[in-house]
Amino acid sequence: MLDNINFEYYDSVDSTNDRIKERAHAGEKQGLVISAGTQTAGKGRIGRKWESPKHDSIATSMLLTPQEISLEAVPTITVVAAMAVRDALSRLYGLEGKIKWPNDIVLDGKKICGILTEMEMKDGAVWFVVVGIGVNVHNKSFDEEIAYKATSVDLELIKENRIGETGHRAELTKAIWESFKRYYNIFIKTQDMSGLKEEYERNLANFGERVRIEAQENSYEAIAKGITAKGELIVEVDKKEQIIRTGEVSVRGIYGYV
Ligand code: BT5
């Protein structure tokens, strides 16, 4: 169970995930959250970069030291965190995002949030897990390579003509981790998505629709059918069900990023 959340904030760090790892090595307890105004080396998955321009976005990470969690349940924590971000954006701003499995939240077809879960093992067991969340809040523009597929809270509020309204980084950070605590404590009882699957699928981008699965060696079309109890994506290819595990596979809509 996750009980207490302790928030720390720094103006600039390399990566909030790496700062949490350092503290975990020093014996820090579960529930520490480190957030930063900007990251000089923000990380995406598999060596990709995450942009967090100064004071425009949220970069926040939490330390978890789940007792006796199985190794195979760890990737599911990303899926749980995605539900928390979606829920917080809905509660605070009425922005109804979709979850692009496994680790993005999208609004109007563009990415507003990315999640990176990392872990370390000791003596053959999971020692600690770091859940890192990046959310674009005040960003009005993005680097050229991502401009077509990125959005922010403020850009979405402008689209809805909500003049004078803006996101609030501290408030949103707090709301995300409060939601995370609620979903995580449901997840950790069974170490799977059985208590969350229904809500997850309601918010899954491309649910029941055609998607493109982009693996390293090939790419093919499939229909997204939902998730398994472990949080893996179920797709249908040639009338047969297939399970997509996290890793190096990307799932895209047929006509664009989502
Ligand atoms: C992710 O990876 O989306 C995980 C991002 C996790 C960032 C958080 S911030 C707090 C914590 N500390 C860290 O160092 N990391 C975590 P992936 O699915 O691999 O997507 C990365 C790709 O997203 C990049 O290659 C770009 O194409 C795109 N991208 C980079 N910055 C972006 C941004 N600010 N908004 C939207 N897309 C972005």
Side-chain angles (χ1 to χ4, degrees):
M1 287 282 282
L2 173 61
D3 294 317
N4 296 322
I5 303 180
N6 301 310
F7 292 92
E8 289 185 11
Y9 179 84
Y10 299 90
D11 200 44
S12 172
V13 301
D14 47 1
S15 153
T16 53
N17 271 29
D18 290 346
R19 290 310 102 225
I20 287 283
K21 282 187 205 166
E22 183 183 65
R23 296 285 286 275
H25 280 266
E28 188 69 54
K29 286 193 302 290
Q30 161 158 294
L32 173 68
V33 168
I34 291 184
S35 309
T38 188
Q39 299 183 114
T40 51
K43 298 184 288 185
R45 293 177 302 162
I46 47 171
R48 291 194 280 246
K49 281 196 189 139
W50 181 258
E51 261 186 47
S52 19
K54 202 164 178 61
H55 303 150
D56 270 348
S57 55
I58 287 175
T60 184
S61 303
M62 182 186 273
L63 173 64
L64 297 168
T65 51
Q67 298 295 306
E68 291 166 19
I69 195 169
S70 72
L71 182 56
E72 64 166 17
V74 173
T76 316
I77 297 175
T78 298
V79 169
V80 174
M83 291 184 79
V85 178
R86 204 218 81 85
D87 183 65
L89 288 170
S90 165
R91 284 194 293 124
L92 255 52
Y93 309 116
L95 293 174
E96 303 297 337
K98 289 277 181 193
I99 301 169
K100 183 171 168 293
W101 182 91
N103 70 318
D104 293 354
I105 306 300
V106 293
L107 269 158
D108 196 20
K110 293 181 171 187
K111 180 162 172 172
I112 194 163
C113 162
I115 300 164
L116 175 67
T117 301
E118 298 182 279
M119 58 138 207
E120 284 193 23
M121 303 197 49
K122 196 160 119 183
D123 302 330
V126 176
W127 176 19
F128 65 83
V129 176
V130 185
V131 187
I133 297 177
V135 189
N136 302 321
V137 181
H138 301 307
N139 318 51
K140 292 279 165 43
S141 60
F142 294 91
D143 276 2
E144 205 180 325
E145 317 89 78
I146 61 166
Y148 74 97
K149 62 172 179 180
T151 190
S152 68
V153 171
D154 287 3
L155 285 174
E156 292 305 310
L157 292 173
I158 289 167
K159 271 187 206 163
E160 293 188 359
N161 281 323
R162 291 163 62 178
I163 314 295
E165 288 186 55
T166 61
H168 188 289
R169 292 182 312 134
E171 223 168 63
L172 181 55
T173 304
K174 194 158 170 279
I176 287 171
W177 291 121
E178 273 165 8
S179 294
F180 179 76
K181 179 170 150 181
R182 187 164 65 79
Y183 289 116
Y184 180 78
N185 285 338
I186 297 172
F187 153 80
I188 203 70
K189 278 191 209 140
T190 53
Q191 296 202 13
D192 69 18
M193 292 296 286
S194 44
L196 297 170
K197 183 173 148 58
E198 201 186 314
E199 180 178 337
Y200 186 90
E201 288 181 343
R202 265 204 312 271
N203 296 307
L204 175 61
N206 296 313
F207 185 44
E209 292 165 15
R210 297 193 76 77
V211 290
R212 174 162 291 283
I213 310 294
E214 290 176 355
Q216 246 177 356
E217 59 297 341
N218 62 345
S219 141
Y220 53 93
E221 281 190 19
I223 298 170
K225 299 295 259 187
I227 55 163
T228 66
K230 287 183 195 159
E232 303 148 331
L233 188 70
I234 307 169
V235 298
E236 189 185 287
V237 185
D238 297 333
K239 304 238 153 39
K240 283 199 207 89
E241 279 194 356
Q242 245 182 42
I243 307 291
I244 309 287
R245 295 183 175 79
T246 45
E248 308 214 347
V249 171
S250 294
V251 182
R252 303 249 181 277
I254 295 297
Y255 299 109
Y257 174 65
V258 176

